[in-house]
Amino acid sequence: ELVGPPGTVIPTRCYHLVETRVVNLFGSIFNASQLGVDVWDPNSPVTGCEGNGETAVISLSPGLIASNTYAFRIDIVNPPSQTSSNFWTMTLLDHFAKPIPSFPLWAFPEISVSTFARNSAPSCYLGDCVGAGGIAIPIQLQLRTQNTVKTGGELRILAPLEFGFDPDDAPLIQGD
């Protein structure tokens, strides 16, 4: 049994979200061995995973060797905010591991979304209309990161269901 910090969400059917192949976890068997991680025996696969909130019950086939060091990854949804109890716990055959510290969440402590228009209702000025008949109202997104981003990456923005993004290649505006 694996239990995440409060607020963690592990999908109910999580079997396909568990990864044990060291090549996929560390890039190569050599990299894993340099970190002291043993290869997970392919004859002892994960046979199931059932999630319930922050708990996952992962079923294993027999065959893992005592005193070997194994690694696995499970894809989860992080809690919406950092909790004071930021630890994972793991139980195997009634043996409890010491709590495992989790990583600090990367969050946006200051974020705001506003429209460029003074009102959010459909309006027209000199024949140009916004917000009516599926025409977009431009928004401004301001945020401050909690951590310094040292590598390239991407920022994913998920809009509420009734909103959408312009699928056309819109021209960049100041700040893009």
Side-chain angles (χ1 to χ4, degrees):
E1 181 179 85
L2 179 69
V3 180
T8 300
V9 177
I10 301 173
T12 304
R13 299 183 190 277
C14 51
Y15 170 74
H16 66 287
L17 302 175
V18 179
E19 178 61 69
T20 60
R21 296 167 291 188
V22 294
V23 171
N24 292 347
L25 298 173
F26 300 100
S28 70
I29 293 173
F30 176 78
N31 290 345
S33 68
Q34 293 299 301
L35 295 169
V37 176
D38 296 297
V39 173
W40 196 292
D41 186 344
N43 295 319
S44 302
V46 170
T47 58
C49 178
E50 294 293 323
N52 184 6
E54 59 221 22
T55 302
V57 175
I58 301 171
S59 303
L60 306 172
S61 294
L64 297 181
I65 300 169
S67 75
N68 276 9
T69 300
Y70 298 103
F72 68 93
R73 178 184 71 222
I74 183 168
D75 294 341
I76 54 106
V77 176
N78 285 320
S81 61
Q82 186 78 47
T83 63
S84 59
S85 176
N86 197 24
F87 292 91
W88 288 82
T89 58
M90 192 165 60
T91 308
L92 178 65
L93 300 175
D94 296 327
H95 294 279
F96 297 87
K98 289 191 269 183
I100 304 160
S102 188
F103 56 88
L105 288 178
W106 280 43
F108 300 105
E110 294 174 20
I111 188 166
S112 68
V113 179
S114 58
T115 63
F116 282 117
R118 290 188 181 196
N119 64 21
S120 59
S123 60
C124 296
Y125 178 74
L126 298 177
D128 290 326
C129 298
V130 295
I135 298 176
I137 297 176
I139 63 164
Q140 178 176 343
L141 173 67
Q142 293 182 326
L143 57 92
R144 182 176 63 85
T145 62
Q146 181 171 319
N147 301 50
T148 301
V149 179
K150 296 180 181 179
T151 62
E154 78 183 11
L155 174 65
R156 290 183 184 234
I157 301 171
L158 179 64
L161 206 48
E162 62 272 10
F163 289 80
F165 295 100
D166 186 355
D168 297 330
D169 290 330
L172 297 178
I173 59 174
Q174 182 180 355
D176 282 352

